[in-house]
Amino acid sequence: NAGVTQTPKFRVLKTGQSMTLLCAQDMNHEYMYWYRQDPGMGLRLIHYSVGEGTTAKGEVPDGYNVSRLKKQNFLLGLESAAPSQTSVYFCASSYSRTLNYGYTFGSGTRLTVV
Amino acid sequence: AQKITQTQPGMFVQEKEAVTLDCTYDTSDQSYGLFWYKQPSSGEMIFLIYQGSYDEQNATEGRYSLNFQKARKSANLVISASQLGDSAMYFCAMRGNTGGFKTIFGAGTRLFVKA
């Protein structure tokens, strides 16, 4: 019962480098989300997807791109990393659009941009 | 716009005592859900409790209860009989029925349980 798996768990990038964070879920969830967590700011939504082939912007989308080519995978890309993107990134998924369904979270990716 | 406010950056509680973590929210959605998540020092996010906006009774899950006051737009988490393992960051969150059913989170409250 893997749930939501994020890779990698840790990464250090140099400014200007690119990378892709992978989120994979094996629960057949329709909805997937990418959040970033910064001290004192809680979790802020970057992008989300309501189904395979769909993506939408969240609260802080600038500097990130996403793709959901397969239902089980949600990729977050950083084309040109900046120190401001140093953060902990969480992927989450949800089966239902009903409001009483909480998220299942991945274990997070700690990204440092130097 | 939707907003979640947690005004207590840090809280201390004595072991075995009860503690209330405050949460207020703002939304224009008629129907919404309120959640509390726990994040221990290991970093994972753990779902604790849910309250629907049309639920007449306050939600309870073991030692956790949610004190829901709709008119005041508050959804406080009450932890009874605190344990050392309750030391963690706690996030209040809200999910509305528009815009992809996404969830917004408050800034969090760090709870310290003293032995």
Side-chain angles (χ1 to χ4, degrees):
Chain A
N1 54 345
V4 178
T5 303
Q6 289 184 234
T7 53
K9 296 192 184 307
F10 304 92
R11 185 72 185 270
V12 178
L13 283 181
K14 293 183 179 179
T15 297
Q17 286 185 320
S18 63
M19 78 163 295
T20 299
L21 283 68
L22 172 62
C23 177
Q25 53 94 2
D26 61 1
M27 299 170 288
N28 202 34
H29 284 181
E30 286 291 338
Y31 298 79
M32 298 187 73
Y33 307 85
W34 276 106
Y35 287 86
R36 59 177 289 173
Q37 182 180 15
D38 302 291
M41 304 188 76
L43 279 74
R44 293 180 294 167
L45 182 65
I46 305 171
H47 285 283
Y48 64 99
S49 169
V50 300
E52 181 179 317
T54 74
T55 63
K57 294 180 179 179
E59 182 186 0
V60 288
D62 293 343
Y64 305 95
N65 57 75
V66 288
S67 65
R68 183 108 181 260
L69 299 179
K70 293 183 178 180
K71 185 177 183 179
Q72 62 267 35
N73 296 337
F74 195 30
L75 279 63
L76 178 70
L78 286 73
E79 290 186 348
S80 179
S84 61
Q85 294 177 304
T86 293
S87 187
V88 179
Y89 292 85
F90 283 98
C91 177
S93 71
S94 176
Y95 172 73
S96 173
R97 61 190 290 149
T98 58
L99 298 175
N100 64 339
Y101 207 87
Y103 286 179
T104 301
F105 280 90
S107 58
T109 296
R110 185 174 294 275
L111 174 66
T112 302
V113 183
V114 298
Chain B
Q2 296 183 329
K3 187 177 181 180
I4 293 282
T5 302
Q6 294 180 255
T7 57
Q8 306 154 314
M11 289 279 288
F12 286 88
V13 65
Q14 196 68 39
E15 192 179 12
K16 299 181 184 178
E17 292 184 349
V19 62
T20 298
L21 306 184
D22 294 341
C23 173
T24 58
Y25 63 91
D26 192 19
T27 182
S28 56
D29 287 344
Q30 294 300 309
S31 182
Y32 50 89
L34 296 156
F35 302 81
W36 279 90
Y37 289 85
K38 173 183 179 181
Q39 186 179 43
S41 58
S42 53
E44 73 268 30
M45 295 286 289
I46 302 168
F47 165 66
L48 293 179
I49 194 168
Y50 159 83
Q51 177 84 42
S53 58
Y54 288 106
D55 293 342
E56 294 187 352
Q57 293 197 345
N58 288 340
T60 60
E61 289 287 346
R63 293 187 299 109
Y64 304 108
S65 60
L66 200 153
N67 184 0
F68 180 48
Q69 298 186 47
K70 191 171 184 177
R72 300 180 63 180
K73 294 189 174 181
S74 73
N76 298 339
L77 178 69
V78 181
I79 304 175
S80 62
S82 297
Q83 301 172 356
L84 295 178
D86 293 334
S87 293
M89 181 72 87
Y90 290 82
F91 291 99
C92 180
M94 177 173 63
R95 190 179 193 191
N97 64 348
T98 58
F101 295 85
K102 52 187 179 289
T103 299
I104 61 167
F105 291 79
T109 295
R110 185 167 294 280
L111 179 66
F112 300 92
V113 180
K114 300 182 291 184

